[in-house]
């Protein structure tokens, strides 16, 4: 995922197209997911299609996480891009959300009308390409990357679905879905990545999510030369550099998204992790130092 993220950012810079990710999304369709596309298309509702996509997303890319949350009749289809290292992922996020939006448009046609598109990164100089592509309210500098819609929208039926075909494809995917090379570190990192902003990320909770106890989690991580603290620190470092890249985002909000109880705790951690303050990092010199440290 790291190489792909770097390639997308470099391509956008070299082509001088800040909407490079969206331009790629315009040329992608469900068929790019291969056999997974068949499973998605044959689901009875959009909700089931999204759940299938979320459940088998790792077959398409290990670095993508799709979540579906519902609150008071509103649904957020969230996308997390785990590049594994602190580096820009703007183009990857816009490509990912653009692809999901386009795929849902293909399934529902004009019935698909999301309420808003949310990005964590700052707005570009011009947003007309985004408004034209998504056809709805596009918000930047938000706490998550995702698509917001009404719950009844994703409960809409998929006209061409065939449950029998869906069952057959799912049986096939279940034979290849397990990730044989996924380590305890990989699984624990995914849990940390998805729960950090909730403020409830802890070794106990991650262990429970993985179906083991805390001591077993620590033992497995130790065998892989890792600790829960070092894993948590690495995920925070990756996310921190993304969040503070948006100068309009309050640092108190960044601290909360990284699971810190107070801004002062975040500031101390940041200086200890990167050897400079956030304001120093935001200078071109600070960025160069961190880029060099991360190879």
């Amino acid at each position: 995922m790291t190489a792909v993220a770097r390639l997308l950012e470099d391509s956008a810079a070299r082509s001088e197209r800040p909407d490079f990710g969206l331009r790629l999304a315009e040329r992608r369709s469900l068929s790019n997911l291969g056999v997974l596309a068949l499973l998605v298309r044959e689901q009875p509702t959009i909700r089931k299609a999204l759940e299938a996509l979320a459940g088998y997303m790792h077959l398409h890319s290990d670095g993508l996480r799709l979540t579906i949350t519902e609150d008071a009749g509103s649904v957020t289809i969230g996308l997390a891009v785990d590049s594994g290292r602190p580096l820009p992922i703007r183009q990857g996020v816009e490509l990912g959300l653009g692809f999901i939006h386009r795929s849902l448009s293909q399934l529902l046609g004009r019935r698909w009308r999301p309420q808003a598109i949310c990005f964590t990164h700052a707005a570009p100089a011009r947003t007309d390409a985004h408004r034209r592509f998504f056809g709805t309210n596009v918000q930047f500098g938000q706490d998550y990357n995702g698509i917001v819609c009404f719950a009844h929208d994703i409960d809409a039926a998929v006209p061409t679905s065939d449950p029998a075909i869906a069952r057959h494809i799912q049986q096939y995917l279940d034979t290849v879905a397990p990730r044989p090379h996924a380590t305890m570190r990989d699984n624990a990192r995914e849990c940390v990545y998805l729960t950090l902003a909730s403020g409830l990320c802890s070794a106990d909770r991650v262990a429970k999510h993985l179906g083991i106890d805390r001591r077993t989690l620590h033992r497995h991580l130790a065998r892989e030369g890792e600790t829960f603290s070092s894993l948590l620190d690495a995920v925070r470092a990756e996310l921190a550099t993304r969040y503070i890249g948006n100068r309009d985002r309050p640092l108190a909000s960044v601290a909360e998204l990284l699971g810190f109880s107070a801004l002062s705790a975040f500031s101390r951690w940041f200086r200890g992790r990167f050897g400079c303050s956030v304001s120093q990092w935001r200078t071109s010199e600070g960025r160069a130092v961190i880029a060099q440290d991360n190879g």
Side-chain angles (χ1 to χ4, degrees):
M1 192 64 199
T2 300
V4 174
R6 288 188 185 279
L7 177 61
L8 289 172
E9 296 298 325
D10 185 56
S11 298
R14 289 175 179 269
S15 64
E16 298 183 348
R17 296 286 188 181
D19 60 341
F20 186 82
L22 289 185
R23 288 172 176 265
L24 282 184
E26 285 180 332
R27 291 164 174 76
R28 295 179 68 85
S29 65
L30 269 176
S31 60
N32 291 111
L33 296 178
V35 68
L36 178 54
L38 299 178
L39 178 65
V40 172
R41 285 190 182 121
E42 302 305 330
Q43 296 301 313
T45 66
I46 293 298
R47 185 187 294 271
K48 290 294 184 182
L50 288 169
E51 290 173 351
L53 183 58
Y56 295 92
M57 181 69 83
H58 65 275
L59 295 177
H60 180 66
S61 173
D62 272 339
L64 298 180
R65 312 278 185 267
L66 193 66
T67 59
I68 306 162
T69 56
E70 185 169 350
D71 181 44
S74 179
V75 168
T76 299
I77 306 164
L79 178 70
V81 180
D82 184 0
S83 63
R85 302 180 67 180
L87 51 81
I89 58 166
R90 179 186 194 119
Q91 300 302 324
V93 167
E94 295 196 355
L95 169 59
L97 281 187
F99 169 73
I100 294 171
H101 171 73
R102 181 171 167 77
S103 297
L104 293 176
S105 296
Q106 291 174 335
L107 290 173
L108 285 178
R110 293 183 178 180
R111 290 187 295 162
W112 171 241
R113 291 181 177 275
Q115 302 305 298
I117 309 296
C118 299
F119 293 110
T120 60
H121 51 257
R126 297 182 58 180
T127 61
D128 50 321
H130 295 77
R131 292 196 304 271
R132 182 176 63 253
F133 181 91
F134 292 107
T136 190
N137 179 28
V138 182
Q139 303 174 4
F140 296 89
Q142 302 302 301
D143 291 345
Y144 60 90
N145 296 302
I147 300 174
V148 181
C149 62
F150 290 123
H152 60 71
D153 286 342
I154 68 169
D155 287 324
V158 177
T160 59
S161 69
D162 187 325
I165 294 178
R167 286 194 298 272
H168 175 72
I169 297 171
Q170 185 165 353
Q171 289 172 357
Y172 165 74
L173 289 178
D174 284 340
T175 66
V176 296
R179 290 179 280 185
H181 303 297
T183 63
M184 181 60 72
R185 176 189 179 280
D186 296 331
N187 294 329
R189 178 185 171 86
E190 179 175 341
C191 290
V192 170
Y193 200 97
L194 294 176
T195 62
L196 189 58
S198 68
L200 301 175
C201 181
S202 66
D204 286 328
R205 289 184 178 274
V206 168
K208 183 177 180 180
H209 182 83
L210 296 175
I212 57 179
D213 58 38
R214 179 173 179 165
R215 293 181 63 182
T216 302
L217 172 64
H218 286 313
R219 186 167 63 251
H220 279 288
L221 290 178
R223 289 174 182 169
E224 299 174 27
E226 192 78 80
T227 66
F228 182 78
S229 295
S230 63
L231 194 65
L232 177 62
D233 188 69
V235 174
R236 276 176 165 164
E238 178 183 338
L239 294 177
T241 55
R242 296 178 190 171
Y243 292 145
I244 66 175
N246 179 359
R247 296 171 182 268
D248 295 328
R249 182 184 296 279
L251 290 185
S253 172
V254 174
E256 184 178 354
L257 289 171
L258 296 179
F260 288 100
S261 58
L263 176 57
S264 57
F266 164 64
S267 298
R268 287 194 300 272
W269 170 84
F270 191 91
R271 182 175 288 278
R273 182 66 169 77
F274 295 109
C276 64
S277 67
V278 173
S279 59
Q280 290 171 326
W281 184 92
R282 280 174 164 167
T283 66
S284 57
E285 241 176 72
R287 289 174 180 268
V289 169
I290 292 177
Q292 183 176 8
D293 289 344
N294 287 284

